[in-house]
Amino acid sequence: MPIRLYQIRESGNCYRVRLMLALLGQTADLIEASPERDGAALGAFREVPVLVDGSLRLRDSQAILVYLARRYGEPHWLPDGAEALARIQQWLSFAANEIQNGPRMARGIVRFGRAGDLEAALRKAERALRLLDLHLAARTWLETGAPTIADVACYPYVSKAGEAGIDMSAYPALARWIGRIETLDGYVPPEAPGSAGRTA
Amino acid sequence: MPIRLYQIRESGNCYRVRLMLALLGQTADLIEASPERDGAALGAFREVPVLVDGSLRLRDSQAILVYLARRYGEPHWLPDGAEALARIQQWLSFAANEIQNGPRMARGIVRFGRAGDLEAALRKAERALRLLDLHLAARTWLETGAPTIADVACYPYVSKAGEAGIDMSAYPALARWIGRIETLDGYVPPEAPGSAGRTA
C-alpha cells in the first residue's frame, strides 16, 4: 500500500513533506484533506500534514521528516550519533518556533490576510533570517556538511519570506543556500502539481 | 572537564535540561548566564540554555535533551528506529510550538507581566492541555510505553499551567502523568537549588 499524505496544497508545512518525499525519490498518494471526510485520519489534532504508511499514522511535518529520512533515506539526511542528531534538532526547533512565529506569520498576515501583529512578526522574521545568514556564511548546509532534514525543515517558509515584503538581498549566504537546495536531485517547487504522486 | 550549562534559573527551558541531567544521574556546572560575561558561550542567538560538553556547544533545550539522552542515557530515553524517533519528535515540536505559545505564554503574561494576548494564549493552552489529556487517557507515557525525552520536553510548562489560572482538575489523565514524572528516580523540582551540580 502506498504512503498517503493528507495535506492542504497551499500549506508550507505540507510542502515540506512533499519536498522530502521528492528528495528521497518516494511517491505518495496526496489527499486534499477535508475535516468532515478525513476526521479519523486527522485525529484529535485536526491538522495537516498527516502521513500514513502501513499501520503508522504521524502528524507534525518535522516528525514526518524524521520518519521518512530514517526509513527511506540515505544516512546523510539524518545521521545517527548524539552530536549530529542534536545539531539537527536545533534547526527543527528553530523551524517550529523562530520560523513559524517569524517568516511564516509575517507572510500569513501580508499574503493571506491572517490576524496577527505584523510588526512583531517582521521583527522576529528578520532576526531569524539574520541568524540563518550568519550561520550559513561559512557553511554549505546547516549541519554536518551534507544536506539533512534540518535544511528541508527550514527551507519552505524561509524561501517565501520575500512575499512578506522582506528584502532577501540583505541575506546573501541564505540566498546561496536557497539556491543550493533548489538544485538538489529530486527538488520540487511548492507549486509543482502532484509532484510526489497522484492527487486523490 | 564537567558539562557546563549556561542558564537562567527561573527559565522553564533551562529547567528542562536540569531535569534531564538529574534523571540521567549526570552532574553539570550551572552558570547563571550574563550576556556581557558569557557572550562567546551564548553565541549569536544570545539565548539560554546553552550546554557545553568538551568541544561541543549546543543551544536549544530540545536539542540538548536529544544529545544528553543519546550520549549518557539508557536507550529508552530516545530509542532508535524510524517510528520511535518520529513519534517522539511529534512531542518535541508540540513543546516548541503548542506549549510555548499556549501554557508558557499564558503563564508569562499572568505570572511575570509579559506582553501578549492573554485570551489567545489561554485558548491555545487549553487546546494543548486537552490534546495531551486525551492522548494520555490510555497511556502511561507519551510514547513507546517508557519515559522518553518527549515527557521531559513537555513536562515543565505543562506542570506550571495552573499558575496561569487554568483549572488543571479538568485534565485528570494529564494530572496523573505529571504525578508519574515527579516520582521518577532522580526527579528534581524546578526550585531545587543547584540540584544538577554546583552553581558557578
Side-chain angles (χ1 to χ4, degrees):
Chain A
M1 192 146 115
I3 298 170
R4 270 173 296 154
L5 175 64
Y6 293 86
Q7 66 158 5
I8 292 170
R9 169 151 291 281
E10 291 70 31
S11 154
N13 290 327
C14 295
Y15 165 59
R16 182 181 288 137
V17 177
R18 294 200 307 277
L19 175 58
M20 186 84 250
L21 285 162
L23 292 170
L24 298 178
Q26 291 292 319
T27 56
D29 282 353
L30 305 181
I31 299 161
E32 284 299 306
S34 135
E36 298 78 40
R37 194 184 52 215
D38 303 313
L42 299 185
F45 279 70
R46 305 249 151 190
E47 283 179 350
V48 289
V50 165
L51 186 98
V52 178
D53 190 8
S55 62
L56 176 67
R57 186 172 65 82
L58 281 175
R59 60 177 172 77
D60 181 61
S61 62
Q62 322 257 31
I64 297 170
L65 297 194
V66 166
Y67 173 72
L68 290 173
R70 190 49 69 91
R71 173 81 178 75
Y72 296 108
E74 295 294 320
H76 72 83
W77 289 109
L78 184 61
D80 214 336
E83 181 171 337
L85 274 180
R87 287 192 180 282
I88 289 166
Q89 183 64 48
Q90 295 178 119
W91 299 104
L92 301 188
S93 299
F94 188 83
N97 187 331
E98 281 86 350
I99 293 177
Q100 292 281 325
N101 294 320
R104 184 199 181 191
M105 177 73 81
R107 175 169 173 258
I109 296 168
V110 169
R111 174 88 193 266
F112 303 109
R114 295 213 189 100
D117 180 341
L118 180 59
E119 203 183 318
L122 283 171
R123 207 165 44 234
K124 289 179 190 174
E126 280 163 13
R127 174 175 181 268
L129 298 175
R130 184 178 56 74
L131 288 168
L132 278 168
D133 190 61
L134 200 63
H135 182 79
L136 287 163
R139 289 175 175 88
T140 307
W141 305 103
L142 283 171
E143 296 295 343
T144 79
T148 70
I149 63 170
D151 301 287
V152 180
C154 291
Y155 168 80
Y157 287 110
V158 165
S159 67
K160 293 288 193 187
E163 294 184 7
I166 295 166
D167 175 11
M168 296 297 282
S169 72
Y171 310 104
L174 188 53
R176 288 193 296 273
W177 169 81
I178 289 172
R180 280 192 289 272
I181 290 182
E182 294 176 355
T183 53
L184 283 171
D185 277 353
Y187 171 84
V188 290
E191 302 75 19
S195 44
R198 73 170 171 80
T199 299
Chain B
M1 193 145 112
I3 298 170
R4 269 172 296 156
L5 175 64
Y6 292 85
Q7 66 158 3
I8 292 170
R9 170 151 290 282
E10 291 71 30
S11 155
N13 290 327
C14 295
Y15 166 58
R16 181 180 289 136
V17 177
R18 294 201 307 276
L19 175 58
M20 187 82 250
L21 285 162
L23 292 169
L24 298 178
Q26 292 291 320
T27 57
D29 283 352
L30 305 181
I31 299 160
E32 284 299 306
S34 134
E36 298 77 42
R37 195 185 50 216
D38 302 312
L42 299 184
F45 279 70
R46 304 250 151 189
E47 282 179 349
V48 289
V50 165
L51 186 98
V52 177
D53 190 8
S55 63
L56 176 66
R57 187 172 64 82
L58 281 175
R59 60 177 173 78
D60 181 61
S61 62
Q62 323 258 31
I64 296 171
L65 296 194
V66 166
Y67 173 73
L68 291 173
R70 189 50 66 93
R71 173 80 178 73
Y72 296 108
E74 295 294 320
H76 73 84
W77 289 108
L78 184 60
D80 215 337
E83 181 170 337
L85 274 181
R87 287 193 179 281
I88 289 167
Q89 182 65 45
Q90 294 179 120
W91 299 104
L92 301 188
S93 299
F94 188 82
N97 187 331
E98 281 86 349
I99 293 178
Q100 293 280 326
N101 293 321
R104 184 199 183 192
M105 178 73 81
R107 176 170 173 256
I109 296 168
V110 169
R111 174 90 193 266
F112 303 109
R114 294 213 188 101
D117 181 339
L118 179 59
E119 205 184 317
L122 283 172
R123 207 165 43 237
K124 289 179 189 174
E126 281 162 14
R127 174 174 181 269
L129 298 174
R130 185 178 56 74
L131 287 167
L132 278 168
D133 190 61
L134 200 65
H135 181 79
L136 287 163
R139 289 177 175 87
T140 307
W141 306 104
L142 283 172
E143 296 295 343
T144 78
T148 70
I149 63 170
D151 301 285
V152 180
C154 291
Y155 168 80
Y157 287 110
V158 165
S159 67
K160 294 287 192 187
E163 295 183 7
I166 295 167
D167 175 9
M168 295 296 281
S169 72
Y171 310 104
L174 188 53
R176 287 192 298 274
W177 169 81
I178 289 172
R180 279 191 290 273
I181 289 182
E182 295 176 355
T183 54
L184 282 171
D185 277 354
Y187 172 84
V188 290
E191 301 76 18
S195 46
R198 73 171 170 79
T199 298

